[in-house]
Structure formats: structure tokens, C-alpha cells
């Protein structure tokens, strides 16, 4: 996730002061530990990512994962056909600065780039080939969610994300009706709706995943299964996908996961990249995010593979956040050359989610 306020802000400030003294940037949520989920999820099966008949590719995420989801969508808009984001701001809001990230792109004490300024930045990067042409964003479904009790990413910051995509002509659905705290919200969540508490998967008496998938796919989705999951949770080596072969060097975990429903072993399927927030990595909370995000249940009934890349903790990222402010010296964190973006795109490509010559696919049927 990202940071909270009150005692969380005090803890974050102390962390940032310490890290700055060590010449490192750490922007993370101050979250507590939580037990592994009790919801059913298949036991991970060691293996490799293998090609499937992927017909369309999407990305979703929460907080730091929401920021990275947007970065992936913008950088590779020729691949990703839409994005679903819980609680994050506009593309590259942080501008490579921990202070901007903290006090402008979560809190709003400092000025931040306007959506129009970030749109112009995106056009400049597209002209330089650092991100795909912005014309790809027009008409893309973008689903956004911000809870009324979210004090970690302020509402105006999330509003900027909506404006950014609307200005590029995206089909934006923006849900601000819930009383949720800062969290991924799911019927399988264990945290009270209005709370902001580990493991940051809240239940609010609604099914945001159904709304998100319906908007992204542009068609009603089949109901989530209530039966035991029929697919395989593949546990694969992320080192194979990271530039240089060392996942830890870019604050990614050794292992990533992909849920592959039985139907996707023989037929065409969609691909959803699902990005956890800070302190939601497998190394910190086990399979909780994968079990409670309520994506696998829809995957079984809607021909959808779910890829769960994993961040990890490191000296300059002690809470296991995704890189949306430039930690580790990655100055290209928000474009095609970003190390985490490159790694995730390698995973997407190996699953069959990218045409050999680029370009999008359309799901048949």
C-alpha cells in the first residue's frame, strides 16, 4: 500500500529521514503483519510460465500496485487494453522524488503536476519512444476506485488519475460511493470496510471485482465460482524475467505466481496482471492477496489467467512496494525501460499476452 496519516505519517517521516541519510529513497506503507489467508487458494506448483492462447491483456493494482498498473498501461498501451486501479494517482505523479510522492501524490501538502502537465509529459515520452503512442489510450476502459475513508491517498490525487485518462479519451468508470479505507476491496476481504489495516483487503458488502471486470471486458461477466478453484497456481522464478537476472536487485521477489484455470489449458483466455500493494507480498503475508482479491473465482468462470508478480523488501524499499517514485536509482521506472516494467512484460510475453510484432488482440466469443 502507501502511507497513512497520524502515527503512520510520523513513522514514515522517521523512515524517510533515516533512508535519506543513507542516500536511498524509501516510500512505503507502514503496515503491520497479518496471518496468511484462510480463503482457499491452490497450493503453488513449481513450474515455468508457458504460452497460452491469450486474446486480450489487462492490468489491475492497488496503491503502489495501482501506480505501477497505470505505468504499465501507459508505457505499453499497445498491449494492455485497460486498467483497474484501487487508490492511486496520475501517471508519474512522483516525478522521481520521494518528497513529492509523500506530500503531493498521497497527501496534498505540496503542489504536484497537474493532469494537463502529466499528459504533456506523456506525449513527449511517446514521441521519444519511451512509452507507446498516446492514441492507444483513447477508448480504453479504465476502472477506478477510491473509498470515502481513504486518508492514505487523498481523493484529489485519485481525481487527477480520472482526469488524466478522460483527457486522453479513455472510457473511465470511477467509483467513489464506498466508505472503504485504503485497501483493495473484495467480498473475500477480512478487514472492516472503513478501516485502513493490514492486510489491506477490505469487505464492504459489494463486489468491486465484478464491476471492474464488466467495465474492462465491455460485457457482463459470469458470476464468480463458489466451488473449489479448478486451476493451477504456478510458482515461477522471477529472476528469469528481470534485467540482469537478479530479482532482488530491483526489489522483486524470487518467486512470482500465475493462476491458470483449467479452461485456459485448451482454449483462449484473457490475461489479468494483478499487482499487490506495499506489505502485501508473498514474503510478508503469504497467499493472502491471491486468496482474497476475488480474481481467481472470476478467472474460473470467465476464461482469465491471473498473473501475480511479486515485489519484495530491500534496503531502499523496506515495505515491499512497487516502484512508482524511482527507488534503487531507476530513473526510467515509469517507462518501457523501467526494470520492474521490463520484468513484468517478460512474464506477460511468456504467457502469450504480447504479439510477436506488438499490437492488441480481441477475445473471440
Amino acid at each position: 500500500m502507501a502511507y497513512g496519516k497520524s502515527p503512520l505519517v510520523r513513522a514514515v517521516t522517521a523512515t524517510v529521514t533515516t533512508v535519506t541519510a543513507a542516500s536511498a529513497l524509501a516510500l512505503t506503507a507502514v503496515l503491520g503483519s497479518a496471518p496468511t489467508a484462510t480463503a482457499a487458494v491452490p497450493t503453488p506448483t513449481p513450474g515455468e510460465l508457458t504460452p497460452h492462447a491469450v486474446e486480450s491483456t489487462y492490468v489491475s493494482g492497488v496503491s503502489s500496485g495501482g501506480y505501477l498498473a497505470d505505468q504499465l498501461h501507459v508505457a505499453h498501451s499497445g498491449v494492455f487494453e485497460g486498467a483497474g486501479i484501487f487508490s492511486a494517482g496520475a501517471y508519474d505523479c512522483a516525478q522521481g522524488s520521494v518528497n513529492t510522492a509523500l506530500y503531493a501524490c498521497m497527501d496534498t501538502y505540496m503542489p504536484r503536476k497537474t493532469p494537463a502537465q502529466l499528459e504533456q509529459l506523456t506525449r513527449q515520452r511517446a514521441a521519444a519512444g519511451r512509452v507507446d503512442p498516446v492514441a492507444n489510450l483513447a477508448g480504453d476502459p479504465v476502472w477506478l476506485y477510491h473509498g470515502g475513508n481513504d486518508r492514505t491517498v487523498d481523493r484529489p490525487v485519485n481525481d487527477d488519475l480520472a482526469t488524466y485518462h478522460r483527457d486522453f479519451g479513455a472510457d473511465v468508470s470511477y467509483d467513489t460511493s464506498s466508505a472503504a479505507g485504503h485497501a483493495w476491496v473484495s467480498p473475500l476481504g477480512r478487514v472492516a470496510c472503513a478501516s485502513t489495516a493490514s492486510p489491506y483487503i477490505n469487505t464492504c458488502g459489494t463486489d468491486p471485482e465484478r464491476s471492474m471486470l464488466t467495465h474492462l471486458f465491455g460485457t457482463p461477466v459470469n458470476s464468480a465460482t463458489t466451488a473449489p478453484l479448478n486451476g493451477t497456481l504456478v510458482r515461477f522464478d522471477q529472476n528469469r524475467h528481470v534485467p540482469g537476472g537478479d530479482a532482488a536487485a530491483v526489489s522483486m521477489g524470487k518467486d512470482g505466481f500465475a493462476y491458470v484455470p483449467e479452461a485456459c489449458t485448451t482454449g483462449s483466455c484473457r490475461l489479468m496482471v494483478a499487482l499487490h500493494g506495499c506489505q502485501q507480498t508473498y514474503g510478508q503475508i503469504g497467499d493472502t492477496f491471491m486468496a482474497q482479491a476475488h480474481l481467481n473465482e472470476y478467472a474460473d468462470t470467465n476464461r482469465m489467467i491471473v498473473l501475480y508478480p511479486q515485489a519484495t523488501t530491500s534496503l531502499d524499499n523496506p515495505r515491499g512496494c512497487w516502484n512508482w517514485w524511482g527507488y534503487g536509482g531507476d530513473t526510467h521506472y515509469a517507462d518501457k525501460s523501467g526494470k520492474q516494467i521490463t520484468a513484468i512484460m517478460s512474464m506477460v510475453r511468456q504467457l502469450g499476452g504480447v504479439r510477436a510484432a506488438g499490437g492488441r488482440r480481441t477475445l473471440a466469443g
Side-chain angles (χ1 to χ4, degrees):
M1 315 307 292
Y3 296 121
K5 293 185 171 68
S6 191
L8 297 182
V9 163
R10 291 195 294 271
V12 167
T13 302
T15 299
V16 171
T17 300
T18 300
V19 173
T20 300
S23 300
L25 299 180
L27 178 60
T28 55
V30 180
L31 311 178
S33 60
T36 302
T38 57
V41 65
T43 300
T45 300
E48 297 297 332
L49 298 178
T50 57
H52 292 77
V54 175
E55 299 294 344
S56 52
T57 304
Y58 304 87
V59 63
S60 58
V62 57
S63 197
S64 72
Y67 269 106
L68 184 59
D70 193 57
Q71 290 165 195
L72 278 162
H73 182 204
V74 172
H76 291 281
S77 58
V79 174
F80 292 100
E81 299 197 19
I85 297 171
F86 290 85
S87 193
Y91 173 77
D92 204 8
C93 179
Q95 296 287 287
S97 166
V98 65
N99 284 332
T100 301
L102 271 172
Y103 303 118
C105 300
M106 294 184 339
D107 281 322
T108 53
Y109 305 135
M110 289 173 50
R112 62 188 180 278
K113 295 281 188 183
T114 65
Q117 290 173 319
L118 295 175
E119 291 156 24
Q120 181 59 24
L121 172 67
T122 308
R123 292 187 187 95
Q124 292 169 351
R125 290 182 179 177
R130 293 176 59 184
V131 302
D132 280 352
V134 297
N136 293 338
L137 298 172
D140 272 5
V142 175
W143 182 91
L144 307 177
Y145 189 103
H146 189 272
N149 285 296
D150 187 341
R151 304 290 184 263
T152 302
V153 173
D154 287 349
R155 168 72 182 272
V157 175
N158 216 122
D159 291 348
D160 283 358
L161 178 59
T163 299
Y164 173 93
H165 280 286
R166 284 174 178 146
D167 286 351
F168 277 128
D171 177 12
V172 177
S173 174
Y174 186 14
D175 186 348
T176 59
S177 64
S178 133
H182 188 67
W184 179 286
V185 178
S186 158
L188 301 180
R190 300 289 188 267
V191 178
C193 183
S195 297
T196 296
S198 181
Y200 300 85
I201 307 175
N202 292 13
T203 180
C204 293
T206 57
D207 187 350
E209 289 68 43
R210 186 181 190 102
S211 299
M212 176 177 73
L213 296 175
T214 296
H215 184 68
L216 295 183
F217 298 165
T219 183
V221 297
N222 296 323
S223 296
T225 185
T226 56
L229 298 175
N230 64 33
T232 301
L233 185 66
V234 179
R235 182 173 187 161
F236 64 92
D237 185 358
Q238 292 194 143
N239 290 305
R240 296 173 179 265
H241 300 279
V242 173
D246 185 358
V250 300
S251 203
M252 291 181 66
K254 177 186 180 298
D255 296 319
F257 301 86
Y259 179 70
V260 183
E262 184 178 4
C264 295
T265 61
T266 57
S268 63
C269 274
R270 301 173 174 97
L271 172 62
M272 172 64 74
V273 179
L275 299 167
H276 61 74
C278 305
Q279 281 284 54
Q280 289 184 323
T281 72
Y282 187 79
Q284 293 163 312
I285 62 171
D287 62 18
T288 303
F289 183 75
M290 293 182 284
Q292 295 183 11
H294 204 221
L295 292 174
N296 303 331
E297 291 74 15
Y298 278 107
D300 269 8
T301 56
N302 291 275
R303 294 162 39 211
M304 181 177 74
I305 296 168
V306 188
L307 173 65
Y308 294 101
Q310 296 294 308
T312 193
T313 58
S314 58
L315 179 62
D316 52 3
N317 180 33
R319 310 295 174 180
C321 303
W322 290 107
N323 197 352
W324 65 277
W325 69 93
Y327 64 67
D330 188 354
T331 58
H332 289 272
Y333 63 92
D335 66 40
K336 289 182 177 181
S337 299
K339 294 174 183 177
Q340 291 181 351
I341 286 178
T342 299
I344 292 171
M345 289 306 297
S346 173
M347 301 172 197
V348 169
R349 187 171 293 105
Q350 190 162 341
L351 280 167
V354 181
R355 285 185 185 273
R360 300 182 177 190
R361 306 177 182 207
T362 303
L363 188 71

